[in-house]
Amino acid sequence: MATVASTINTTTDAKLLRFALKQDALGSGAFGVVCVAAAAVFGDLFGLPAALLYPVGAFLVAWAAALFFLAARPTVGRAAVGVVMAINVAWVAASVELLVAGWFPLTGLGIALVIVQAVLVAGFTGLQFAGLRKHA
């Protein structure tokens, strides 16, 4: 019976996984900083309330820090990556719900923003999954 390690031990063994985590961190962090710094402008431009963008931006900055920390660790726990992927899937689902439910009066640019960021998060999640499978 084959066993699956609960961690990936070396930096080279987890190259794709670490790349995916770092890219997720870069994208999340950059978007978070922009949300916090320009919430009022983004709110008007995209049809999203600044009161939503501030906490979302702060969460994304913290999320990015956690992802960088995870990617830099000597061992990458499979369970931790599973949690990251679950949160990413929840983010994509919430993005779809935001569009379908019509919670906010999104502009055309707002709709495009929600779609693009959801596709990017789904892509990061796919890369993370591929990184895990590569070292199963």
Side-chain angles (χ1 to χ4, degrees):
M1 173 185 268
T3 60
V4 176
S6 63
T7 61
I8 300 171
N9 290 320
T10 66
T11 303
T12 56
D13 284 346
K15 193 172 187 177
L16 176 60
L17 180 56
R18 289 178 194 280
F19 172 79
L21 291 169
K22 288 175 185 175
Q23 293 306 304
D24 193 349
L26 285 171
S28 297
F31 188 53
V33 167
V34 170
C35 283
V36 169
V41 173
F42 265 27
D44 291 340
L45 188 61
F46 298 115
L48 292 165
L52 171 71
L53 293 175
Y54 285 119
V56 166
F59 166 78
L60 289 172
V61 170
W63 177 246
L67 291 172
F68 274 126
F69 175 77
L70 180 60
R73 296 190 43 81
T75 58
V76 179
R78 290 182 181 281
V81 176
V83 170
V84 167
M85 292 181 354
I87 291 170
N88 280 349
V89 168
W91 182 276
V92 172
S95 297
V96 171
E97 179 65 19
L98 186 141
L99 292 173
V100 172
W103 293 335
F104 304 107
L106 297 175
T107 64
L109 283 175
I111 292 168
L113 173 72
V114 172
I115 291 169
V116 166
Q117 60 81 35
V119 168
L120 288 172
V121 171
F124 296 145
T125 306
L127 281 174
Q128 292 157 358
F129 181 74
L132 279 181
R133 287 195 40 110
K134 184 174 180 181
H135 301 288

